Amino acid sequence: MSVYMILDAELHISEPKDAADYEKYKEAAPEYVDRYGGEYLCRGGKIDVELGDWNPERVVMISFPTREAYDSFMADPGYKPWKELRESLSTIKLLAVLEGV
Protein backbone atom coordinates (compact mmCIF):
# COMPACT_ATOMS: atom_id res chain seq x y z
CA MET A 1 0.00 0.00 0.00
CA SER A 2 1.52 3.33 -1.08
CA VAL A 3 2.00 6.20 1.32
CA TYR A 4 1.91 9.81 0.19
CA MET A 5 3.85 12.33 2.24
CA ILE A 6 2.41 15.82 1.88
CA LEU A 7 4.47 18.56 3.44
CA ASP A 8 3.64 22.27 3.73
CA ALA A 9 6.76 24.30 4.55
CA GLU A 10 6.76 27.90 5.67
CA LEU A 11 10.35 28.98 5.11
CA HIS A 12 12.24 31.24 7.55
CA ILE A 13 15.05 32.40 5.30
CA SER A 14 16.32 35.75 6.51
CA GLU A 15 20.04 35.63 5.74
CA PRO A 16 22.11 34.48 2.76
CA LYS A 17 23.53 31.66 4.93
CA ASP A 18 19.99 30.39 5.57
CA ALA A 19 19.28 30.29 1.83
CA ALA A 20 22.56 28.46 1.19
CA ASP A 21 21.82 25.95 3.96
CA TYR A 22 18.34 25.30 2.56
CA GLU A 23 19.83 24.68 -0.88
CA LYS A 24 22.22 22.15 0.70
CA TYR A 25 19.21 20.39 2.25
CA LYS A 26 17.41 20.30 -1.10
CA GLU A 27 20.48 18.74 -2.71
CA ALA A 28 20.93 16.11 0.04
CA ALA A 29 17.34 14.97 0.61
CA PRO A 30 16.76 13.09 -2.69
CA GLU A 31 19.45 10.53 -1.80
CA TYR A 32 17.38 9.45 1.21
CA VAL A 33 14.07 9.56 -0.63
CA ASP A 34 15.55 7.34 -3.37
CA ARG A 35 17.04 4.95 -0.81
CA TYR A 36 13.54 3.96 0.31
CA GLY A 37 11.89 3.85 -3.10
CA GLY A 38 10.37 7.30 -2.72
CA GLU A 39 9.46 9.47 -5.67
CA TYR A 40 8.94 13.23 -5.64
CA LEU A 41 5.54 14.09 -7.10
CA CYS A 42 6.08 17.80 -6.63
CA ARG A 43 8.69 19.89 -4.88
CA GLY A 44 7.60 23.49 -4.67
CA GLY A 45 5.99 25.27 -7.57
CA LYS A 46 3.17 27.72 -8.09
CA ILE A 47 0.13 27.09 -5.90
CA ASP A 48 -3.42 28.00 -6.92
CA VAL A 49 -5.78 27.81 -3.94
CA GLU A 50 -9.01 26.56 -5.50
CA LEU A 51 -11.20 26.39 -2.39
CA GLY A 52 -10.93 27.45 1.23
CA ASP A 53 -8.43 29.61 3.05
CA TRP A 54 -5.40 27.30 3.12
CA ASN A 55 -2.43 29.27 1.79
CA PRO A 56 0.67 27.03 1.80
CA GLU A 57 4.01 28.59 0.94
CA ARG A 58 5.84 25.50 -0.35
CA VAL A 59 4.30 22.08 -0.91
CA VAL A 60 6.31 18.89 -1.31
CA MET A 61 4.65 15.57 -2.15
CA ILE A 62 6.53 12.27 -2.11
CA SER A 63 5.13 8.79 -2.70
CA PHE A 64 6.63 5.77 -0.95
CA PRO A 65 5.81 2.19 -1.95
CA THR A 66 4.90 1.09 1.60
CA ARG A 67 4.39 2.44 5.10
CA GLU A 68 7.54 0.61 6.13
CA ALA A 69 9.56 2.46 3.47
CA TYR A 70 8.12 5.80 4.63
CA ASP A 71 8.85 5.01 8.29
CA SER A 72 12.40 3.91 7.42
CA PHE A 73 12.99 7.15 5.51
CA MET A 74 11.75 9.22 8.45
CA ALA A 75 13.94 7.25 10.90
CA ASP A 76 17.11 7.08 8.78
CA PRO A 77 19.99 8.20 11.04
CA GLY A 78 21.85 9.71 8.07
CA TYR A 79 18.82 11.84 7.18
CA LYS A 80 18.36 13.08 10.76
CA PRO A 81 20.83 16.02 10.58
CA TRP A 82 19.32 17.13 7.26
CA LYS A 83 15.82 16.92 8.71
CA GLU A 84 16.95 18.98 11.71
CA LEU A 85 18.47 21.57 9.37
CA ARG A 86 15.22 21.78 7.40
CA GLU A 87 13.23 22.14 10.61
CA SER A 88 15.53 24.94 11.80
CA LEU A 89 14.77 26.89 8.60
CA SER A 90 11.04 26.24 8.34
CA THR A 91 7.78 25.51 10.06
CA ILE A 92 6.44 22.20 8.79
CA LYS A 93 2.96 20.74 8.51
CA LEU A 94 3.12 17.09 7.46
CA LEU A 95 0.54 14.48 6.45
CA ALA A 96 1.05 10.83 5.62
CA VAL A 97 -1.83 9.60 3.43
CA LEU A 98 -2.22 5.82 3.19
CA GLU A 99 -3.60 4.76 -0.16
CA GLY A 100 -6.80 2.78 -0.08
CA VAL A 101 -7.48 3.12 3.63
Side-chain angles (χ1 to χ4, degrees):
M1 174 182 334
S2 296
V3 173
Y4 300 92
M5 177 179 148
I6 304 171
L7 183 143
D8 173 6
E10 178 184 342
L11 302 180
H12 308 296
I13 308 286
S14 58
E15 300 178 18
K17 181 188 180 316
D18 294 342
D21 285 348
Y22 194 73
E23 289 302 315
K24 289 177 189 173
Y25 166 78
K26 287 177 16 182
E27 291 173 14
E31 172 187 340
Y32 298 95
V33 170
D34 290 344
R35 182 177 294 171
Y36 299 101
E39 177 184 357
Y40 283 97
L41 303 176
C42 72
R43 196 173 189 198
K46 183 180 181 306
I47 298 169
D48 289 329
V49 176
E50 300 285 329
L51 182 64
D53 60 3
W54 183 29
N55 193 22
E57 181 177 323
R58 179 176 169 77
V59 173
V60 176
M61 295 175 60
I62 305 171
S63 74
F64 288 92
T66 63
R67 179 64 194 234
E68 293 77 19
Y70 168 77
D71 290 340
S72 295
F73 163 72
M74 293 299 282
D76 187 300
Y79 179 63
K80 184 179 178 184
W82 294 109
K83 182 178 172 186
E84 290 171 352
L85 175 63
R86 182 199 72 206
E87 290 172 348
S88 75
L89 299 169
S90 61
T91 300
I92 300 296
K93 295 176 186 166
L94 177 67
L95 299 171
V97 180
L98 286 63
E99 180 180 13
V101 173

XYZ file of all heavy atoms in Angstrom:
813
model
N 0.842 -1.172 0.000
C 0.000 0.000 0.000
C 0.893 1.242 0.000
O 1.743 1.398 0.869
C -0.888 -0.038 1.239
C -1.709 1.189 1.422
S -2.743 1.226 2.915
C -3.053 -0.454 3.313
N 0.716 2.098 -0.978
C 1.520 3.326 -1.083
C 1.185 4.308 0.036
O 0.080 4.313 0.565
C 1.260 4.011 -2.424
O 1.687 3.207 -3.487
N 2.171 5.114 0.357
C 2.002 6.199 1.322
C 2.430 7.481 0.627
O 3.474 7.526 -0.037
C 2.853 5.975 2.589
C 2.795 7.184 3.502
C 2.394 4.733 3.328
N 1.616 8.505 0.767
C 1.911 9.808 0.188
C 2.231 10.785 1.304
O 1.406 11.010 2.183
C 0.734 10.310 -0.653
C 0.425 9.375 -1.783
C -0.503 8.355 -1.636
C 1.118 9.471 -2.980
C -0.758 7.474 -2.664
C 0.870 8.588 -4.022
C -0.068 7.592 -3.850
O -0.307 6.716 -4.874
N 3.429 11.317 1.273
C 3.854 12.328 2.239
C 3.552 13.691 1.625
O 4.004 13.995 0.524
C 5.357 12.190 2.488
C 5.933 13.213 3.407
S 7.719 12.875 3.599
C 8.306 14.527 3.804
N 2.753 14.473 2.331
C 2.406 15.817 1.878
C 2.898 16.791 2.929
O 2.485 16.729 4.089
C 0.893 15.969 1.660
C 0.407 14.899 0.675
C 0.565 17.374 1.175
C -1.098 14.814 0.551
N 3.801 17.655 2.524
C 4.466 18.563 3.441
C 4.211 20.003 3.009
O 4.331 20.319 1.830
C 5.962 18.251 3.407
C 6.871 19.023 4.344
C 7.952 18.089 4.842
C 7.507 20.184 3.633
N 3.823 20.826 3.953
C 3.635 22.266 3.734
C 4.718 22.958 4.554
O 4.759 22.816 5.777
C 2.233 22.666 4.195
C 1.967 24.167 4.172
O 2.818 24.942 3.696
O 0.886 24.558 4.649
N 5.623 23.657 3.882
C 6.755 24.300 4.554
C 6.649 25.809 4.453
O 6.554 26.364 3.359
C 8.071 23.846 3.934
N 6.655 26.445 5.605
C 6.760 27.903 5.672
C 8.231 28.206 5.970
O 8.737 27.900 7.047
C 5.871 28.447 6.789
C 5.954 29.937 6.951
C 5.140 30.436 8.143
O 4.260 29.705 8.635
O 5.411 31.556 8.589
N 8.916 28.759 4.986
C 10.352 28.983 5.111
C 10.656 30.216 5.950
O 9.926 31.200 5.898
C 10.984 29.125 3.731
C 10.787 27.937 2.788
C 11.466 28.210 1.457
C 11.293 26.652 3.402
N 11.744 30.128 6.723
C 12.238 31.239 7.548
C 13.660 31.563 7.097
O 14.618 31.300 7.804
C 12.206 30.876 9.031
C 10.874 30.362 9.489
N 9.734 31.131 9.478
C 10.501 29.150 9.940
C 8.717 30.414 9.924
N 9.159 29.204 10.204
N 13.762 32.095 5.907
C 15.051 32.401 5.296
C 15.262 33.910 5.403
O 14.616 34.671 4.696
C 15.085 31.975 3.807
C 14.650 30.528 3.642
C 16.420 32.283 3.176
C 15.634 29.488 4.076
N 16.132 34.312 6.314
C 16.320 35.750 6.515
C 17.735 36.217 6.176
O 17.968 37.417 6.066
C 15.984 36.127 7.960
O 16.797 35.404 8.858
N 18.644 35.275 6.029
C 20.038 35.631 5.743
C 20.549 34.785 4.579
O 20.047 33.680 4.346
C 20.907 35.365 6.971
C 20.493 36.161 8.198
C 21.358 35.837 9.404
O 22.453 35.271 9.220
O 20.929 36.148 10.513
N 21.548 35.270 3.861
C 22.105 34.475 2.763
C 22.566 33.081 3.206
O 22.406 32.116 2.469
C 23.276 35.320 2.261
C 22.914 36.718 2.628
C 22.153 36.605 3.930
N 23.097 32.975 4.424
C 23.533 31.664 4.927
C 22.343 30.709 5.036
O 22.463 29.526 4.722
C 24.225 31.801 6.275
C 24.717 30.462 6.814
C 25.235 30.578 8.223
C 25.737 29.285 8.791
N 24.945 28.102 8.585
N 21.187 31.224 5.475
C 19.986 30.386 5.567
C 19.606 29.843 4.192
O 19.290 28.662 4.051
C 18.808 31.181 6.130
C 19.006 31.619 7.576
O 19.871 31.047 8.269
O 18.295 32.546 8.001
N 19.627 30.708 3.189
C 19.281 30.289 1.828
C 20.266 29.232 1.335
O 19.870 28.231 0.724
C 19.248 31.489 0.895
N 21.541 29.428 1.602
C 22.564 28.462 1.190
C 22.367 27.124 1.907
O 22.484 26.057 1.288
C 23.960 29.014 1.456
N 22.058 27.173 3.198
C 21.822 25.945 3.960
C 20.591 25.207 3.435
O 20.594 23.979 3.340
C 21.661 26.249 5.447
C 22.980 26.560 6.135
O 24.050 26.315 5.531
O 22.935 27.066 7.273
N 19.543 25.952 3.081
C 18.341 25.297 2.559
C 18.627 24.642 1.209
O 18.138 23.552 0.928
C 17.171 26.286 2.460
C 15.857 25.583 2.251
C 15.259 24.882 3.288
C 15.239 25.576 1.006
C 14.066 24.203 3.092
C 14.044 24.904 0.805
C 13.463 24.227 1.857
O 12.290 23.538 1.664
N 19.438 25.279 0.391
C 19.829 24.676 -0.884
C 20.611 23.383 -0.651
O 20.429 22.401 -1.383
C 20.627 25.657 -1.735
C 19.791 26.787 -2.303
C 18.628 26.311 -3.171
O 18.826 25.412 -4.014
O 17.511 26.838 -2.991
N 21.476 23.370 0.367
C 22.217 22.146 0.701
C 21.248 21.027 1.089
O 21.425 19.867 0.704
C 23.201 22.401 1.839
C 24.389 23.242 1.447
C 25.272 23.515 2.656
C 26.347 24.533 2.321
N 27.108 24.930 3.516
N 20.225 21.384 1.871
C 19.215 20.393 2.251
C 18.524 19.837 1.007
O 18.367 18.622 0.854
C 18.169 20.992 3.210
C 16.983 20.084 3.327
C 17.043 18.951 4.124
C 15.823 20.298 2.578
C 15.987 18.061 4.178
C 14.774 19.418 2.623
C 14.854 18.302 3.432
O 13.817 17.417 3.470
N 18.111 20.730 0.101
C 17.407 20.300 -1.103
C 18.277 19.387 -1.975
O 17.755 18.499 -2.645
C 16.930 21.514 -1.906
C 15.766 22.224 -1.251
C 15.266 23.480 -1.943
C 15.650 23.751 -3.330
N 15.151 25.021 -3.871
N 19.571 19.597 -1.954
C 20.484 18.737 -2.708
C 20.673 17.374 -2.035
O 20.832 16.358 -2.707
C 21.839 19.415 -2.873
C 21.815 20.628 -3.787
C 23.141 21.387 -3.805
O 24.162 20.847 -3.322
O 23.137 22.531 -4.294
N 20.662 17.347 -0.701
C 20.935 16.115 0.040
C 19.721 15.200 0.164
O 19.864 13.971 0.137
C 21.461 16.449 1.433
N 18.537 15.758 0.301
C 17.340 14.965 0.609
C 17.017 13.884 -0.419
O 16.621 12.769 -0.029
C 16.150 15.895 0.811
N 17.153 14.123 -1.730
C 16.765 13.085 -2.692
C 17.495 11.756 -2.524
O 16.923 10.698 -2.810
C 17.082 13.727 -4.052
C 16.933 15.188 -3.810
C 17.474 15.387 -2.413
N 18.719 11.781 -2.040
C 19.448 10.528 -1.800
C 18.669 9.627 -0.848
O 18.575 8.413 -1.055
C 20.828 10.831 -1.217
C 21.583 9.606 -0.755
C 22.870 9.935 -0.027
O 23.407 11.047 -0.177
O 23.359 9.053 0.700
N 18.105 10.223 0.207
C 17.383 9.452 1.213
C 16.005 9.045 0.710
O 15.544 7.931 0.990
C 17.313 10.241 2.524
C 18.698 10.498 3.062
C 19.359 11.694 2.790
C 19.381 9.513 3.761
C 20.652 11.914 3.233
C 20.684 9.722 4.213
C 21.308 10.922 3.942
O 22.596 11.129 4.371
N 15.355 9.912 -0.027
C 14.069 9.564 -0.633
C 14.259 8.368 -1.564
O 13.515 7.385 -1.493
C 13.473 10.781 -1.381
C 12.262 10.379 -2.208
C 13.111 11.896 -0.403
N 15.263 8.433 -2.424
C 15.549 7.341 -3.366
C 15.872 6.035 -2.643
O 15.466 4.959 -3.093
C 16.726 7.696 -4.276
C 16.416 8.787 -5.277
O 15.222 9.092 -5.495
O 17.373 9.355 -5.841
N 16.612 6.136 -1.560
C 17.043 4.955 -0.807
C 15.865 4.080 -0.402
O 15.987 2.855 -0.322
C 17.827 5.396 0.433
C 18.376 4.261 1.269
C 19.183 4.783 2.427
N 20.391 5.448 1.926
C 21.230 6.171 2.668
N 20.984 6.325 3.962
N 22.284 6.723 2.145
N 14.717 4.694 -0.164
C 13.541 3.961 0.310
C 12.453 3.856 -0.751
O 11.298 3.602 -0.437
C 13.028 4.601 1.607
C 14.090 4.521 2.674
C 14.868 5.623 2.987
C 14.374 3.312 3.296
C 15.886 5.540 3.929
C 15.389 3.218 4.238
C 16.138 4.334 4.552
O 17.147 4.239 5.474
N 12.840 4.021 -2.007
C 11.892 3.851 -3.100
C 10.932 5.002 -3.259
O 9.920 4.876 -3.951
N 11.246 6.136 -2.624
C 10.369 7.298 -2.720
C 10.507 7.997 -4.057
O 11.532 7.886 -4.738
N 9.465 8.707 -4.430
C 9.461 9.473 -5.671
C 8.805 10.828 -5.413
O 7.689 10.893 -4.882
C 8.671 8.724 -6.739
C 8.551 9.467 -8.033
C 7.676 8.749 -9.045
O 7.188 7.642 -8.778
O 7.458 9.345 -10.110
N 9.522 11.886 -5.769
C 8.944 13.227 -5.645
C 7.824 13.378 -6.675
O 8.034 13.137 -7.866
C 10.002 14.306 -5.898
C 10.938 14.517 -4.740
C 12.177 13.903 -4.704
C 10.573 15.339 -3.673
C 13.045 14.096 -3.639
C 11.427 15.531 -2.602
C 12.662 14.912 -2.589
O 13.512 15.103 -1.530
N 6.650 13.782 -6.212
C 5.536 14.085 -7.101
C 5.487 15.576 -7.396
O 5.089 15.978 -8.479
C 4.218 13.611 -6.486
C 4.181 12.118 -6.136
C 2.882 11.767 -5.444
C 4.398 11.264 -7.376
N 5.862 16.368 -6.423
C 6.081 17.801 -6.631
C 7.002 18.286 -5.519
O 7.067 17.706 -4.439
C 4.788 18.603 -6.672
S 3.945 18.799 -5.104
N 7.716 19.338 -5.830
C 8.686 19.890 -4.885
C 8.696 21.394 -5.093
O 9.493 21.931 -5.844
C 10.052 19.276 -5.154
C 11.028 19.464 -4.019
C 12.300 18.682 -4.284
N 13.144 18.696 -3.110
C 14.426 18.423 -3.104
N 15.024 18.088 -4.224
N 15.117 18.483 -2.001
N 7.760 22.063 -4.438
C 7.600 23.487 -4.665
C 6.741 23.717 -5.891
O 6.059 22.827 -6.373
N 6.765 24.925 -6.388
C 5.987 25.272 -7.568
C 4.885 26.256 -7.226
O 4.601 26.543 -6.058
N 4.258 26.763 -8.251
C 3.173 27.724 -8.089
C 1.962 27.015 -7.505
O 1.628 25.903 -7.908
C 2.815 28.334 -9.446
C 1.753 29.407 -9.372
C 1.459 29.973 -10.760
C 0.420 31.060 -10.750
N -0.836 30.734 -10.117
N 1.301 27.666 -6.567
C 0.134 27.090 -5.903
C -1.080 27.956 -6.209
O -1.061 29.169 -5.992
C 0.354 27.016 -4.372
C 1.545 26.109 -4.070
C -0.912 26.547 -3.666
C 2.022 26.166 -2.646
N -2.126 27.338 -6.726
C -3.419 28.004 -6.917
C -4.381 27.438 -5.889
O -4.724 26.254 -5.948
C -3.978 27.746 -8.320
C -3.205 28.461 -9.403
O -2.661 29.545 -9.121
O -3.149 27.943 -10.531
N -4.800 28.254 -4.928
C -5.777 27.810 -3.940
C -7.143 27.844 -4.624
O -7.621 28.905 -5.016
C -5.751 28.704 -2.678
C -6.849 28.280 -1.709
C -4.384 28.637 -2.020
N -7.747 26.685 -4.776
C -9.012 26.557 -5.499
C -10.226 26.713 -4.583
O -11.286 27.117 -5.036
C -9.073 25.197 -6.192
C -7.959 24.965 -7.193
C -8.152 25.738 -8.481
O -9.303 25.960 -8.877
O -7.135 26.109 -9.099
N -10.069 26.361 -3.310
C -11.201 26.390 -2.395
C -10.679 26.513 -0.970
O -9.684 25.886 -0.610
C -12.008 25.092 -2.539
C -13.258 24.927 -1.700
C -14.301 25.979 -2.095
C -13.834 23.534 -1.878
N -11.309 27.318 -0.169
C -10.933 27.449 1.229
C -9.871 28.508 1.447
O -9.508 29.253 0.535
N -9.368 28.556 2.671
C -8.426 29.608 3.049
C -7.020 29.090 3.331
O -6.202 29.790 3.891
C -8.954 30.385 4.255
C -9.169 29.511 5.479
O -8.863 28.306 5.414
O -9.643 30.041 6.487
N -6.739 27.862 2.953
C -5.397 27.304 3.119
C -4.477 28.026 2.155
O -4.767 28.145 0.967
C -5.417 25.807 2.836
C -4.112 25.097 3.033
C -3.117 25.429 3.893
C -3.671 23.925 2.347
N -2.075 24.527 3.810
C -2.398 23.589 2.854
C -4.227 23.123 1.370
C -1.683 22.489 2.414
C -3.510 22.019 0.934
C -2.246 21.703 1.451
N -3.352 28.526 2.632
C -2.427 29.267 1.790
C -1.000 28.773 2.034
O -0.184 29.479 2.621
C -2.551 30.771 2.057
C -1.849 31.580 0.997
O -1.615 31.109 -0.107
N -1.500 32.803 1.332
N -0.675 27.562 1.569
C 0.668 27.029 1.796
C 1.710 27.827 1.026
O 1.443 28.359 -0.042
C 0.578 25.598 1.280
C -0.536 25.622 0.292
C -1.489 26.670 0.765
N 2.912 27.882 1.588
C 4.015 28.587 0.942
C 4.775 27.665 -0.009
O 5.120 28.047 -1.121
C 4.972 29.126 2.009
C 6.143 29.900 1.449
C 7.039 30.473 2.530
O 6.522 30.901 3.586
O 8.257 30.486 2.329
N 5.063 26.461 0.452
C 5.839 25.499 -0.354
C 5.308 24.108 -0.044
O 5.320 23.670 1.099
C 7.319 25.597 -0.002
C 8.203 24.622 -0.753
C 9.683 24.834 -0.418
N 10.508 23.771 -0.905
C 10.896 23.607 -2.168
N 10.504 24.471 -3.074
N 11.655 22.602 -2.524
N 4.842 23.418 -1.080
C 4.305 22.075 -0.914
C 5.261 21.073 -1.554
O 5.741 21.284 -2.666
C 2.906 21.953 -1.554
C 2.415 20.509 -1.527
C 1.915 22.865 -0.835
N 5.516 20.002 -0.811
C 6.314 18.893 -1.310
C 5.467 17.638 -1.137
O 4.905 17.406 -0.069
C 7.646 18.751 -0.539
C 8.425 17.533 -1.014
C 8.473 20.023 -0.660
N 5.377 16.843 -2.207
C 4.654 15.570 -2.155
C 5.600 14.466 -2.614
O 6.245 14.590 -3.653
C 3.420 15.603 -3.050
C 2.378 16.602 -2.593
S 0.978 16.750 -3.748
C 0.361 15.087 -3.750
N 5.665 13.408 -1.802
C 6.526 12.269 -2.110
C 5.695 11.007 -1.933
O 4.987 10.863 -0.933
C 7.750 12.210 -1.173
C 8.535 13.515 -1.212
C 8.633 11.025 -1.530
C 9.629 13.611 -0.152
N 5.782 10.089 -2.885
C 5.126 8.793 -2.699
C 6.188 7.770 -2.291
O 7.319 7.797 -2.783
C 4.407 8.342 -3.971
O 5.313 7.906 -4.945
N 5.803 6.896 -1.377
C 6.632 5.771 -0.953
C 5.849 4.496 -1.221
O 4.620 4.487 -1.104
C 6.979 5.874 0.541
C 7.972 6.959 0.856
C 7.541 8.232 1.194
C 9.328 6.720 0.787
C 8.446 9.243 1.469
C 10.247 7.729 1.063
C 9.802 8.985 1.406
N 6.535 3.410 -1.567
C 5.815 2.191 -1.946
C 5.059 1.533 -0.794
O 4.056 0.853 -1.029
C 6.909 1.276 -2.488
C 8.187 1.793 -1.905
C 7.982 3.274 -1.713
N 5.537 1.726 0.440
C 4.905 1.093 1.601
C 5.040 2.008 2.816
O 5.865 2.925 2.837
C 5.585 -0.245 1.963
O 6.952 0.030 2.343
C 5.549 -1.237 0.806
N 4.263 1.709 3.830
C 4.386 2.439 5.105
C 5.752 2.172 5.724
O 6.363 3.069 6.311
C 3.259 2.028 6.066
C 3.309 2.711 7.424
C 3.100 4.206 7.259
N 3.450 4.955 8.427
C 2.639 5.815 9.037
N 1.416 6.005 8.620
N 3.062 6.493 10.072
N 6.232 0.954 5.581
C 7.540 0.609 6.134
C 8.643 1.444 5.484
O 9.574 1.893 6.166
C 7.828 -0.881 5.963
C 6.935 -1.785 6.784
C 5.527 -1.964 6.209
O 5.297 -1.691 4.999
O 4.637 -2.358 6.983
N 8.561 1.641 4.168
C 9.558 2.457 3.469
C 9.504 3.899 3.961
O 10.547 4.519 4.210
C 9.338 2.398 1.951
N 8.297 4.433 4.116
C 8.124 5.798 4.626
C 8.708 5.915 6.039
O 9.469 6.841 6.329
C 6.641 6.174 4.624
C 6.327 7.431 5.387
C 6.591 8.683 4.838
C 5.774 7.372 6.661
C 6.303 9.846 5.550
C 5.492 8.525 7.368
C 5.752 9.760 6.810
O 5.483 10.900 7.512
N 8.353 4.976 6.911
C 8.851 5.014 8.290
C 10.374 4.895 8.328
O 11.033 5.571 9.128
C 8.220 3.900 9.127
C 6.744 4.136 9.407
O 6.271 5.296 9.295
O 6.054 3.142 9.740
N 10.944 4.059 7.468
C 12.397 3.912 7.424
C 13.072 5.194 6.950
O 14.115 5.587 7.481
C 12.784 2.747 6.509
O 12.320 1.529 7.045
N 12.480 5.847 5.964
C 12.988 7.146 5.512
C 12.990 8.141 6.667
O 13.996 8.806 6.932
C 12.138 7.671 4.352
C 12.316 9.141 4.084
C 13.489 9.625 3.515
C 11.320 10.039 4.399
C 13.663 10.985 3.273
C 11.471 11.398 4.161
C 12.653 11.873 3.597
N 11.875 8.246 7.360
C 11.753 9.224 8.446
C 12.718 8.928 9.594
O 13.161 9.847 10.282
C 10.312 9.259 8.965
C 9.312 9.799 7.945
S 9.633 11.500 7.439
C 8.988 12.381 8.841
N 13.066 7.646 9.786
C 13.938 7.254 10.904
C 15.400 7.100 10.507
O 16.236 6.822 11.379
C 13.432 5.942 11.498
N 15.738 7.301 9.243
C 17.111 7.083 8.780
C 18.078 7.975 9.565
O 17.934 9.202 9.558
C 17.213 7.390 7.282
C 18.565 7.020 6.711
O 19.589 7.568 7.189
O 18.614 6.207 5.787
N 19.070 7.387 10.248
C 19.993 8.205 11.044
C 20.835 9.154 10.189
O 21.232 10.220 10.661
C 20.869 7.190 11.771
C 20.630 5.881 11.126
C 19.331 5.962 10.375
N 21.100 8.810 8.947
C 21.848 9.705 8.069
C 21.031 10.915 7.643
O 21.579 11.994 7.385
N 19.709 10.737 7.562
C 18.816 11.836 7.181
C 18.554 12.788 8.350
O 18.251 13.966 8.146
C 17.490 11.273 6.644
C 16.494 12.317 6.255
C 16.755 13.216 5.224
C 15.276 12.425 6.917
C 15.831 14.188 4.860
C 14.349 13.393 6.558
C 14.634 14.265 5.528
O 13.722 15.227 5.171
N 18.708 12.294 9.575
C 18.358 13.077 10.764
C 18.986 14.471 10.785
O 18.267 15.458 11.015
C 18.729 12.308 12.032
C 18.305 13.033 13.293
C 18.658 12.255 14.540
C 18.236 13.063 15.749
N 18.608 12.447 16.988
N 20.289 14.656 10.536
C 20.833 16.019 10.576
C 20.259 16.913 9.477
O 20.094 18.122 9.678
C 22.336 15.836 10.414
C 22.564 14.431 10.019
C 21.332 13.655 10.343
N 19.930 16.331 8.332
C 19.321 17.132 7.259
C 17.903 17.541 7.636
O 17.485 18.672 7.391
C 19.331 16.346 5.944
C 20.711 16.116 5.446
C 21.388 14.934 5.413
C 21.615 17.110 4.948
N 22.654 15.130 4.909
C 22.815 16.460 4.617
C 21.525 18.482 4.749
C 23.913 17.127 4.085
C 22.617 19.156 4.217
C 23.786 18.482 3.898
N 17.179 16.617 8.242
C 15.821 16.917 8.714
C 15.859 18.026 9.766
O 15.051 18.953 9.739
C 15.196 15.642 9.290
C 13.782 15.799 9.768
C 13.273 14.458 10.271
C 11.942 14.592 10.947
N 11.511 13.338 11.558
N 16.815 17.939 10.678
C 16.950 18.979 11.709
C 17.301 20.327 11.085
O 16.797 21.368 11.530
C 17.989 18.563 12.745
C 17.518 17.416 13.617
C 18.602 16.837 14.511
O 19.798 17.208 14.369
O 18.254 15.983 15.358
N 18.145 20.328 10.062
C 18.470 21.570 9.372
C 17.219 22.157 8.731
O 16.927 23.343 8.882
C 19.549 21.333 8.309
C 19.896 22.543 7.441
C 20.489 23.678 8.280
C 20.852 22.138 6.325
N 16.466 21.311 8.018
C 15.217 21.775 7.398
C 14.270 22.358 8.437
O 13.694 23.420 8.249
C 14.534 20.619 6.661
C 13.246 21.056 5.956
C 12.344 19.893 5.625
N 11.754 19.381 6.849
C 11.343 18.146 7.032
N 11.466 17.263 6.061
N 10.813 17.768 8.163
N 14.138 21.681 9.559
C 13.232 22.143 10.612
C 13.713 23.441 11.247
O 12.901 24.231 11.724
C 13.045 21.045 11.653
C 12.239 19.890 11.107
C 12.175 18.690 12.028
O 12.944 18.627 13.023
O 11.364 17.789 11.755
N 15.020 23.690 11.237
C 15.535 24.943 11.797
C 15.263 26.131 10.871
O 15.308 27.280 11.309
C 17.038 24.838 12.082
O 17.798 24.909 10.881
N 14.981 25.836 9.601
C 14.772 26.892 8.603
C 13.319 27.005 8.159
O 13.012 27.793 7.266
C 15.651 26.620 7.375
C 17.153 26.605 7.632
C 17.892 26.070 6.413
C 17.640 27.998 7.993
N 12.431 26.237 8.788
C 11.040 26.244 8.337
C 10.108 25.771 9.446
O 10.534 25.156 10.414
C 10.880 25.343 7.117
O 11.227 24.011 7.433
N 8.839 26.091 9.258
C 7.778 25.507 10.065
C 7.064 24.524 9.159
O 6.659 24.873 8.048
C 6.797 26.592 10.562
O 7.521 27.535 11.355
C 5.676 25.989 11.382
N 6.925 23.290 9.618
C 6.439 22.201 8.785
C 5.065 21.730 9.262
O 4.843 21.568 10.456
C 7.429 21.012 8.846
C 8.801 21.415 8.361
C 6.889 19.801 8.092
C 8.879 21.815 6.924
N 4.195 21.490 8.294
C 2.959 20.737 8.512
C 3.100 19.509 7.628
O 3.457 19.617 6.455
C 1.737 21.561 8.116
C 1.547 22.780 8.976
C 0.393 23.612 8.482
C 0.314 24.899 9.280
N -0.548 25.872 8.643
N 2.830 18.324 8.175
C 3.121 17.086 7.465
C 1.966 16.115 7.607
O 1.466 15.884 8.709
C 4.407 16.471 8.020
C 4.849 15.134 7.457
C 5.255 15.274 5.997
C 6.013 14.592 8.263
N 1.551 15.547 6.473
C 0.542 14.483 6.451
C 1.153 13.249 5.818
O 1.954 13.349 4.885
C -0.650 14.886 5.586
C -1.454 16.110 5.979
C -2.442 16.434 4.866
C -2.170 15.874 7.282
N 0.762 12.086 6.298
C 1.046 10.835 5.615
C -0.313 10.242 5.237
O -1.141 9.965 6.100
C 1.810 9.875 6.520
N -0.563 10.108 3.936
C -1.826 9.602 3.430
C -1.603 8.179 2.962
O -0.768 7.940 2.083
C -2.362 10.475 2.275
C -3.671 9.933 1.754
C -2.499 11.930 2.716
N -2.338 7.231 3.555
C -2.216 5.822 3.193
C -3.237 5.499 2.126
O -4.434 5.712 2.311
C -2.429 4.921 4.408
C -1.282 4.880 5.402
C -1.017 6.205 6.044
C -1.481 3.801 6.407
N -2.732 5.054 0.988
C -3.599 4.759 -0.160
C -4.567 3.629 0.184
O -4.196 2.624 0.768
C -2.736 4.342 -1.343
C -3.531 4.015 -2.576
C -2.645 3.604 -3.731
O -1.448 3.334 -3.535
O -3.170 3.557 -4.836
N -5.806 3.835 -0.177
C -6.803 2.777 -0.078
C -7.338 2.510 1.305
O -8.034 1.530 1.514
N -7.003 3.350 2.266
C -7.485 3.119 3.631
C -8.668 4.013 3.884
O -8.737 5.135 3.498
C -6.373 3.383 4.657
C -6.920 3.298 6.067
C -5.268 2.391 4.484
